[in-house]
Structures are given as structure tokens and as C-alpha cells.
Amino acid sequence: MSDVPGAPADLLRSLTRAERLLSRRLAAVLADDDLTTEAWRVLCLLADGQGHPMSEVSAEASLPPGTLTKLVDQLVDRNLVFRRIDPLDRRRIRAYLTARGRREHARVDERVRTSLAEAGIPADTALLDHLADLIARLDPAGRRDNAEAAGLRLPTPR
């Protein structure tokens, strides 16, 4: 910890600690449904119903392509996800939630929201807005579309 309040080390330490604690809480909720945090990230991304290229899912889930393929195979086996060839670019594969996957996502999402509310984590978007702003400042030219696809509303660059 730094002697100077608000030092970059404090920000990094706080964000890291918050992420780890949130991940543990989330993992405990997801364990009841035999889901991992990575699987939950995939289900959340696909919940928009648009279908996403596997390369995008890999980036958003922070998983290497081979690991993502194995994870999606497991989700396919559980009838939560299906894959189709992209109609606009037949070289790409897009992933989608099945009807069962949509129901499962909605049910688990409610449990996750309840768990966060019980922890006193506000349901409003102020925290997400601050994090989206931080992401935009750290990666101004980068992943705007992917961040928005993940549900983060990034501010318009000035």
C-alpha cells in the first residue's frame, strides 16, 4: 500500500481485490448450477440473442481459442449453446444460446443479482459507468464494440 492516498498502486490493489472477491461470490452462486465463471461470461455475452463469432467470445471471456472451444463443447453438450456457420462469412462460426440456455441464463442471472444485492452491491449503473469510463480511458481506440456487447456503456470519446 502506498503512503500517498489515491496512488496508482492503491487503485490497482483495490480493483484486483474487488475482482477476486466478486469472482469468489459469483463462483459460489454458479457452483449450484455446475457453471464456471468462464461459462457464465459466455452465457452472458450470448444472452443478447445476436450470436457472436467464436473469436469475439474468446476475447470477451478472456480465454484462449482452444480453451473456449472445449468450454463451448461442454455448453453444447448441456444444450445451453449451439454453433452455426456465419451466413455472411462462411469461414466463421457463431455461437448462440439455445432456448434452454436463455431460460438457464435468466434463472441464474436472477440468482446472481440476488446474491449481489444481499452483499449490498447496488443494482444501479453508476459503478458500471465508472468502470466503463476507466476502460475507455485505458483503451480509447480498442474494444468499444466488445465492451458494449458485454453490457458496458462506454462514454463517447471526446
Side-chain angles (χ1 to χ4, degrees):
M1 189 158 143
S2 172
D3 294 338
V4 180
D10 292 334
L11 176 61
L12 181 59
R13 182 187 52 79
S14 295
L15 285 172
T16 300
R17 180 91 173 121
E19 189 273 335
R20 287 179 181 162
L21 292 169
L22 182 60
S23 290
R24 277 190 218 140
R25 176 174 278 276
L26 181 61
V29 172
L30 298 174
D32 292 340
D33 295 290
D34 198 27
L35 289 171
T36 63
T37 303
E38 292 79 13
W40 180 242
R41 284 186 191 129
V42 170
L43 294 179
C44 288
L45 178 64
L46 299 181
D48 66 6
Q50 297 178 24
H52 293 271
M54 293 292 284
S55 57
E56 179 185 330
V57 178
S58 175
E60 287 304 309
S62 300
L63 293 171
T67 303
L68 175 70
T69 298
K70 291 175 188 170
L71 174 61
V72 170
D73 286 347
Q74 293 167 1
L75 295 172
V76 167
D77 289 346
R78 292 177 61 179
N79 191 27
L80 299 175
V81 171
F82 68 95
R83 291 177 277 219
R84 291 286 180 261
I85 294 173
D86 188 319
L88 301 177
D89 183 350
R90 298 193 52 82
R91 297 168 298 173
R92 298 179 97 178
I93 302 294
R94 296 180 78 86
Y96 302 83
L97 287 184
T98 63
R100 180 172 184 241
R102 287 190 303 275
R103 289 190 306 271
E104 187 78 359
H105 174 266
R107 186 181 64 72
V108 174
D109 185 62
E110 185 59 36
R111 293 184 59 235
V112 167
R113 289 174 187 271
T114 299
S115 177
L116 295 177
E118 289 169 355
I121 299 171
D124 64 33
T125 60
L127 178 59
L128 285 176
D129 289 343
H130 286 299
L131 291 171
D133 185 50
L134 176 62
I135 292 167
R137 290 171 191 274
L138 294 172
D139 190 12
R143 300 170 40 178
R144 168 169 295 282
D145 293 337
N146 290 339
E148 289 174 349
L152 295 175
R153 295 188 321 257
L154 297 181
T156 304
R158 300 181 218 288

